[in-house]
Amino acid sequence: MYNLDTIISLAKRRGLVFQSSEIYGGLNGCWDFGPLGVELLKNIKEEWWKAMTYREDIEGIDASILMHPRTWEASGHISQFTDPMIDNKQSKLRYRADNLIEEFIDKLRKKKKNDKADELEKKLASAKEPEDYYNLIVEYEISDPVSGSKEWTEVRHFNLMFKTFIGPVEDSSAVVYLRPESAQGIYLNFKNVMDTARQKVPFGIAQIGKAFRNEINTKNFLFRTREFEQMEMQYFVKPGTEMQWYDYWKQQRWDWYIKMGINPSSLKFKAHEKLAHYANRADDIEYFFPFGWGEIEGIHSRTDYDLSRHQEFSGKKLEYVDTVNQERFTPFVVETSGGVTRSFMAFLCDAYKEEEAPDANGKMEMRAILKFSHKLAPIKAAVFPLVNKDGMPEKAELIYKDLQKRFKVTYDTSGAIGRRYRRQDEIGTPFCITVDGQTFEDDTVTIRDRDSMVQERISSSRVTEYINEKLINC
Ligand code: GAP
């Protein structure tokens, strides 16, 4: 068993993720991806892009982050994209009121007070207004988890969108927002894409990009951050067919995580009891993180809410004309909305293992390993000369340079060979190639498999071909 700190420390030590602005003391809710992190992030996005857009019915776009401010009036974000916020008068700590109640429910369950937990959970599901949350906190005597104080302020709604200004004058007419989701850029381009790509309903538009939310509490590393990346697809369908497409996309997205190597027993669907204002059905795909279950992707049936609202607010028709059946309608939308950075964390947690393995002398020791799927592994192969003499570095470098033409590979000469293997295990490199004394007798090298630790000898001229075959789908 390991906890989140093990993952955070590995991520920092091996250059996957750093705290943003660390030398200035850090910036809460923001993280930087280091040399290995950016490779993993790129691989996740590339695999998603291939799965979602290398098909005839889905087109990709890359819309700008800043959008016309009317977008957010139409989408409902200005009036409804809020979280209930509460402050403790004694500790001065600020909480999301719903999270505070959820944590209290968890505590009740741990104390086996399941009836009370169920009752409160039901009441929380129907809470809407600030006073609903406040009343629950008072009724159940929920205290500040840090100070134990029960002295609370009123609950207020807090809008999560980051505001800024366009142009030099900072007045209300210049206000724009950093997008809190990438989906709206897709709705605004619905007609542009349909017309230029000559798509017919049903079809989809996919996008990967940054989103920003001024979360009240950021927590659990990359799980809830203020700047993050999403990979979203909106699938436009004929009204009445949305549930059939919903089931199709729900399955597709589940299958994708399994194909990317996630252990199925660490995944589950969770149906939404409380639906967003635009949805008629919604499920989350949840991953079992070291801190418990958490959403990594949402599948939402969004009806015609978004297109209808943008039609109303812009005065521009966003309809589909079916010339074959002589009908005209506003398509319904089935959305798949995943977090790149949140699934990065799920892939990282899922790949992390600690296991007993023999060292160079056959003595058992603990090895930490990231068992990434070959597709996601940041570095695909490492090349080592056994020693830094006798022509070994020169030979190893030739192999390294050849592999580098196609793959992200690394070259390492420092330390005992066993330690070099362990270093690669810890970052999830699937193959290690070693040039040794025998290389100069029969022109072979060893190739070690990360998971089985089995070493094969193959001709040095076959290394690139061998890795190509192993990574054929990567
Ligand atoms: N367009 C719909 C939408 O944005 P969402 O459930 O709010 O739906 C979708 O977000 C996904 O975006 C989540 O499943 C999660 O992976 C990611 N996400 C949302 N808020 C996040 C945050 N503060 N930090 C990291 N990822 C976040």
Side-chain angles (χ1 to χ4, degrees):
M1 284 307 291
Y2 62 91
N3 58 30
L4 196 56
D5 288 340
T6 312
I7 298 289
I8 298 173
S9 126
L10 169 73
K12 171 154 193 205
R13 191 159 31 84
R14 304 311 312 273
L16 284 142
V17 185
F18 308 121
Q19 196 183 10
S20 162
S21 321
E22 193 181 334
I23 62 167
Y24 287 105
L27 183 67
N28 209 307
C30 301
W31 297 87
D32 296 342
F33 291 86
L36 292 184
V38 79
E39 288 296 326
L40 176 57
L41 209 57
K42 176 185 71 62
N43 294 343
I44 295 170
K45 291 190 274 188
E46 215 166 270
E47 289 304 323
W48 185 87
W49 194 253
K50 280 196 254 171
M52 300 302 274
T53 72
Y54 286 15
R55 39 185 289 159
E56 60 286 355
D57 58 345
I58 300 189
E59 308 289 344
I61 63 162
D62 188 1
S64 65
I65 286 170
L66 299 177
M67 297 167 71
H68 195 288
R70 292 274 283 165
T71 307
W72 309 110
E73 284 176 46
S75 67
H77 280 84
I78 295 214
S79 59
Q80 308 210 33
F81 196 57
T82 57
D83 277 338
M85 177 174 79
I86 190 164
D87 295 280
N88 187 275
K89 288 183 185 164
Q90 202 184 324
S91 69
K92 309 275 180 251
L93 289 171
R94 177 163 289 168
Y95 297 94
R96 249 177 78 170
D98 51 342
N99 286 167
L100 195 63
I101 300 169
E102 278 160 4
E103 277 167 29
F104 183 71
I105 293 173
D106 286 346
K107 273 191 210 151
L108 288 175
R109 293 208 192 284
K110 276 192 192 127
K111 289 184 194 161
K112 308 257 179 286
K113 295 184 175 172
N114 286 323
D115 290 347
K116 195 170 173 187
D118 291 346
E119 174 194 274
L120 179 54
E121 199 163 51
K122 236 185 192 165
K123 288 184 186 170
L124 179 62
S126 54
K128 240 179 161 174
E129 301 303 324
E131 51 276 18
D132 299 338
Y133 296 100
Y134 181 77
N135 290 341
L136 289 179
I137 289 169
V138 173
E139 182 186 341
Y140 285 83
E141 301 186 353
I142 299 176
S143 55
D144 178 347
V146 176
S147 67
S149 154
K150 289 181 188 145
E151 283 182 59
W152 295 107
T153 62
E154 296 292 295
V155 173
R156 287 148 293 149
H157 271 327
F158 168 74
N159 195 295
L160 299 187
M161 281 197 294
F162 279 100
K163 252 187 209 174
T164 186
F165 299 93
I166 209 150
V169 184
E170 296 192 0
D171 66 16
S172 60
S173 65
V175 168
V176 285
Y177 300 90
L178 301 189
R179 67 179 179 203
E181 62 172 14
S182 65
Q184 299 302 323
I186 293 181
Y187 300 128
L188 269 53
N189 282 295
F190 160 71
K191 236 184 141 332
N192 285 338
V193 173
M194 183 170 64
D195 293 347
T196 54
R198 307 199 312 151
Q199 283 286 357
K200 289 186 169 40
V201 166
F203 78 97
I205 305 178
Q207 172 167 225
I208 298 176
K210 290 256 179 167
F212 303 83
R213 296 182 190 179
N214 199 358
E215 300 282 359
I216 296 170
N217 295 123
T218 58
K219 64 174 180 182
N220 292 333
F221 192 33
L222 303 174
F223 187 79
R224 180 163 291 122
T225 55
R226 297 200 165 105
E227 175 176 338
F228 55 97
E229 216 168 356
Q230 290 185 312
M231 36 196 187
E232 296 199 297
M233 192 279 300
Q234 315 293 315
Y235 203 72
F236 301 94
V237 306
K238 188 173 172 183
T241 65
E242 71 273 19
M243 287 308 153
Q244 158 202 333
W245 285 111
Y246 185 89
D247 290 334
Y248 169 81
W249 281 112
K250 198 174 148 188
Q251 190 61 46
Q252 289 289 311
R253 295 306 305 142
W254 173 277
D255 293 346
W256 184 78
Y257 287 102
I258 306 297
K259 200 170 155 204
M260 292 301 112
I262 294 250
N263 178 355
S265 63
S266 298
L267 278 187
K268 70 171 185 187
F269 281 119
K270 186 173 179 209
H272 283 210
E273 283 172 21
K274 203 158 130 182
L275 289 170
H277 58 280
Y278 49 74
N280 65 2
R281 195 169 155 201
D283 284 84
D284 292 336
I285 298 179
E286 292 194 341
Y287 177 75
F288 191 66
F289 290 101
F291 51 83
W293 290 99
E295 170 194 345
I296 51 174
E297 172 153 352
I299 323 292
H300 310 126
S301 174
R302 297 180 68 127
T303 68
D304 61 352
Y305 176 84
D306 302 273
L307 288 184
S308 298
R309 292 279 289 186
H310 288 305
Q311 231 165 176
E312 185 189 330
F313 278 67
S314 68
K316 299 280 178 342
K317 283 248 169 292
L318 296 175
E319 287 180 337
Y320 177 69
V321 180
D322 179 346
T323 48
V324 177
N325 296 311
Q326 302 284 317
E327 350 172 50
R328 171 187 286 272
F329 55 83
T330 304
F332 272 37
V333 168
V334 175
E335 168 183 70
T336 68
S337 175
V340 182
T341 38
R342 214 181 258 185
S343 62
F344 175 106
M345 187 170 147
F347 286 121
L348 192 58
C349 293
D350 207 64
Y352 185 77
K353 307 275 177 290
E354 286 172 11
E355 56 186 37
E356 287 229 308
D359 69 8
N361 304 315
K363 211 172 123 220
M364 294 310 267
E365 62 172 13
M366 197 57 85
R367 75 164 179 159
I369 172 168
L370 284 173
K371 286 195 175 174
F372 288 127
S373 71
H374 290 173
K375 287 175 191 298
L376 297 187
I379 306 263
K380 306 299 184 198
V383 185
F384 314 140
L386 183 65
V387 287
N388 282 319
K389 56 184 185 182
D390 304 335
M392 291 187 206
E394 292 78 5
K395 178 77 180 167
E397 230 175 281
L398 282 177
I399 295 171
Y400 164 67
K401 293 270 182 230
D402 197 44
L403 280 172
Q404 203 177 40
K405 290 180 194 150
R406 236 206 103 198
F407 300 109
K408 183 78 185 167
V409 287
T410 188
Y411 180 72
D412 188 2
T413 59
S414 64
I417 195 76
R419 294 194 59 187
R420 281 183 263 171
Y421 285 146
R422 290 287 178 271
R423 275 206 289 270
Q424 296 305 319
D425 289 344
E426 211 189 22
I427 58 169
T429 307
F431 303 103
C432 291
I433 297 131
T434 306
V435 169
D436 56 15
Q438 200 177 321
T439 307
F440 297 94
E441 291 165 19
D442 58 8
D443 201 23
T444 60
V445 293
T446 64
I447 296 203
R448 172 189 180 267
D449 179 272
R450 175 195 70 196
D451 300 341
S452 65
M453 292 183 285
V454 168
Q455 296 185 26
E456 284 184 62
R457 284 207 86 89
I458 65 162
S459 158
S460 73
S461 59
R462 274 205 61 232
V463 170
T464 304
E465 186 190 333
Y466 178 99
I467 300 289
N468 260 323
E469 275 167 21
K470 291 280 182 186
L471 303 179
I472 191 103
N473 295 319
C474 299

